Amino acid sequence: MGRKVGIIGAGAVGATAAYSLSMMGTCKEIILYDIAEGVAKGKAIDIGQSNYYTSCSGTTITDAKTPADVKDCDIVVVTAGVPRKGDMTRADLLMINAKIIKSVTQDIMKYSPNAIIICVSNPLDVMSYIMHKITGWESNRIIGMSGALDGSRMAYQIYKKLGYGAGQTGSLVIGDHGENMIPLPEQVKVGAVPATAVLSKKDIEDIIERTKNGGAEIVKHLGTSGYYAPARAIAFMVEAILNDSHIMVSSSVLLNGEYGYSNVSVGVPVILGQNGIEKIVEISLDRETSAKFKKSVESINDGINILKKNNFFD
């Protein structure tokens, strides 16, 4: 695999992901594209100048003037879309972003037909599903960035409770990348020790709630969504694919009978490597978690059904 990464959407998340990848020296080339004139070029110049102080990086950062310039990429990261505004309904937002993602996906198919796609646009699970349906590609090539971010937020909350174990804490969050996500701190370890051995039941319940509201907490303070953690999660996934690392991380993927569901994109543990999703990992879910997972899948299907009722896939 080569090491050329395209990033469509050079806003805070996309540009910070490019910066993170550049500092890590992960890619040979990063190309930024944004519909807003001048944004991609300005940020490409800024990130490129920052490379002067990065001894490990020989990364070239360029801007694309048109979608056609985002070509021959090994990985394309998609952060494009609009946030919900004013009296916009969920269905309104869904249709607007679905049309954006449809156009972006068609461009990727045309100009980077061999790429692996990492979807970051929201609502993430539904947008990932759209990409599957538009491309018709092998399901391993389209991955929604969900658990990499939500898992890091959960690990952060565990560390905040304990005051130790930073960098040694596992993470496992399944389900949709939204209000029905399912953090599972009771199934991870801190070092070699099960989290349940060092956290009380009340602690675990608090960690779950704080993880689910991790994005909202940032919005409350900043007035906008976070971007450092999402960008670092993107970079982590890109590096795993380019380096064929075979690491396990939860991602939104198209299920084909796994966990008892098919034809829906939802967050589950997967192995990431040079082919994208190398394997979907099935873990045992107890009755309570299975019920939560069912609710999560249903919420994603609700979004997919809105698109179907509006004849989006016709």
Side-chain angles (χ1 to χ4, degrees), residues 122-133:
N122 284 315
L124 183 134
D125 303 280
V126 180
M127 296 302 112
S128 297
Y129 178 84
I130 289 170
M131 289 180 167
H132 283 289
K133 292 304 170 184

Side-chain angles (χ1 to χ4, degrees), residues 297-310:
V297 169
E298 288 172 349
S299 71
I300 297 165
N301 278 327
D302 285 345
I304 293 170
N305 288 332
I306 288 172
L307 297 177
K308 289 178 178 178
K309 287 176 183 177
N310 284 276

Side-chain angles (χ1 to χ4, degrees), residues 201-220:
K201 184 177 179 180
K202 185 179 182 301
D203 285 339
I204 288 176
E205 290 172 353
D206 192 44
I207 288 164
I208 290 171
E209 285 307 306
R210 286 181 175 273
T211 300
K212 292 175 72 170
N213 295 310
E217 182 182 10
I218 293 169
V219 172
K220 183 179 73 174

